[in-house]
Amino acid sequence: MSRLTRVGPADLNATKKVFLSAIRYATSVDVSSLSFAGQLKTSAQEQVEYMLVADEDIPLVIADSEVISELETGLSKLLLVFTELLVSVPLESDLMSDADENTVLQSLLDIEWMCNMLSKMELMRVFVSSWFNDSCKVLSAIEGGKFDFIMWGVKLKLIEIAGKVLDAVSYGNVILPAASRVELLKIWLPYIRKMKPLLDLKVTEDIAFMHKMNNTLCESIEGAMVSLVSALPSNYQAEILSDWMMKAKQLKFPDLSEAFEVWCYRTKSAKRRLLAGIVNIDDATISL
């Protein structure tokens, strides 16, 4: 009996309880009063990462609806707290301490951690859905005038996370309707185009400035946007590309010329097919 017990089906309840507990601590937002809160959260995040790699039962646990619900709840809490932290920043930027800015950045790093973990769990759709729903609130908060000369690290990290979302959607890892893909582009394309030259200028002015959009990040975002635009219906493509062309002289990034060429080719091909169809119909009418 002891041997049969060892080779029998595994009891997933214990693994599930540990994983749920780790997720709750890893996404906790209300333990700041404890002196060891940061250590608890770090340990919980490390536990989640370890289980994803080392626990052979974890694929079955991740598929559990209760676990998915807990992940969604934890992510929603992190996004809500991050937005509230941005809103709570004083209007006078000089009143904000380095500790306050680090708190906001750490909140965003927790969101990035969730993005990476959900990607490993093949649940990126959960992250994209929450990110899409909260993007307007986040950008509305970060684009306030009080952040014009501060929070460069937070602004760059937002772009990096948005790049991961754009990448997941553009290459089909997460499926969104065409209208939602257009909305995602309309939300993040203007912000990224605005921030790129500002970050480049800061790098030029201050050689010690660390928050730069490197070539890898730029190429990844540009490639994702080209793929996104190219896969849209023609009328949506025309809407995005017309706005891009109006500002292309002033803002070089991102370069959507490849998507524009694809749109031109498809439009001409469609027009030729339409004309050919009209000619064929007229010839058939004359024959009759």
Side-chain angles (χ1 to χ4, degrees):
M1 286 299 296
S2 62
R3 291 177 182 177
L4 288 173
T5 301
R6 286 200 298 272
V7 300
D11 182 7
L12 298 179
N13 285 332
T15 303
K16 177 180 171 182
K17 288 179 181 178
V18 172
F19 191 73
L20 283 173
S21 179
I23 287 294
R24 291 185 184 113
Y25 271 107
T27 59
S28 59
V29 295
D30 56 354
V31 293
S32 56
S33 59
L34 302 176
S35 59
F36 51 88
Q39 295 177 357
L40 275 177
K41 180 176 284 190
T42 300
S43 297
Q45 291 179 352
E46 290 173 352
Q47 176 67 28
V48 171
E49 293 170 17
Y50 174 78
M51 293 183 75
L52 290 177
V53 174
D55 198 317
E56 60 185 13
D57 296 329
I58 208 66
L60 296 175
V61 171
I62 292 171
D64 188 279
S65 59
E66 184 182 354
V67 173
I68 294 176
S69 176
E70 189 65 40
L71 290 166
E72 291 173 339
T73 301
L75 178 57
S76 296
K77 286 191 299 183
L78 291 176
L79 286 165
L80 177 62
V81 167
F82 173 67
T83 307
E84 289 178 345
L85 285 172
L86 290 176
V87 173
S88 66
V89 170
L91 290 175
E92 298 80 8
S93 58
D94 57 337
L95 296 179
M96 187 176 188
S97 67
D98 291 340
D100 293 332
E101 186 166 346
N102 287 335
T103 299
V104 176
L105 180 57
Q106 184 56 56
S107 175
L108 188 54
L109 289 173
D110 289 339
I111 293 171
E112 183 184 39
W113 177 83
M114 276 293 284
C115 176
N116 294 334
M117 291 305 101
L118 288 169
S119 178
K120 291 179 180 180
M121 297 178 205
E122 297 185 358
L123 291 172
M124 192 61 179
R125 67 181 186 279
V126 173
F127 187 85
V128 170
S129 176
S130 295
W131 184 260
F132 178 77
N133 291 334
D134 286 15
S135 285
C136 289
K137 297 176 187 175
V138 169
L139 286 185
S140 176
I142 196 67
E143 290 194 291
K146 60 185 177 180
F147 295 115
D148 285 348
F149 306 106
I150 59 173
M151 292 280 197
W152 297 107
V154 172
K155 293 170 183 175
L156 177 60
K157 186 58 66 177
L158 273 176
I159 293 173
E160 291 175 354
I161 298 175
K164 293 179 181 182
V165 171
L166 292 168
D167 190 77
V169 175
S170 65
Y171 295 110
N173 297 325
V174 177
I175 306 300
L176 289 180
S180 297
R181 282 177 276 147
V182 171
E183 189 64 25
L184 188 65
L185 278 169
K186 284 183 175 180
I187 292 171
W188 286 103
L189 178 56
Y191 180 74
I192 294 173
R193 292 185 82 175
K194 182 180 79 172
M195 290 308 306
K196 173 67 164 60
L198 292 176
L199 290 170
D200 289 346
L201 180 62
K202 290 290 292 182
V203 171
T204 304
E205 293 176 344
D206 183 1
I207 194 171
F209 187 75
M210 299 172 56
H211 311 298
K212 178 182 178 181
M213 289 181 65
N214 58 41
N215 291 335
T216 302
L217 177 60
C218 292
E219 290 172 3
S220 175
I221 290 176
E222 193 168 81
M225 287 191 172
V226 168
S227 297
L228 263 175
V229 174
S230 299
L232 291 172
S234 182
N235 57 324
Y236 288 134
Q237 288 183 18
E239 184 179 356
I240 297 293
L241 290 170
S242 61
D243 179 68
W244 167 76
M245 289 181 67
M246 289 174 62
K247 301 171 183 175
K249 290 183 179 180
Q250 295 83 15
L251 304 171
K252 305 294 184 183
F253 178 86
D255 182 4
L256 302 182
S257 56
E258 182 180 343
F260 178 68
E261 291 172 4
V262 170
W263 176 78
C264 290
Y265 173 78
R266 289 175 178 171
T267 303
K268 290 177 182 177
S269 297
K271 187 175 182 179
R272 283 196 297 269
R273 290 195 298 271
L274 177 61
L275 291 174
I278 293 173
V279 170
N280 290 336
I281 291 172
D282 290 342
D283 289 346
T285 303
I286 292 172
S287 299
L288 289 173

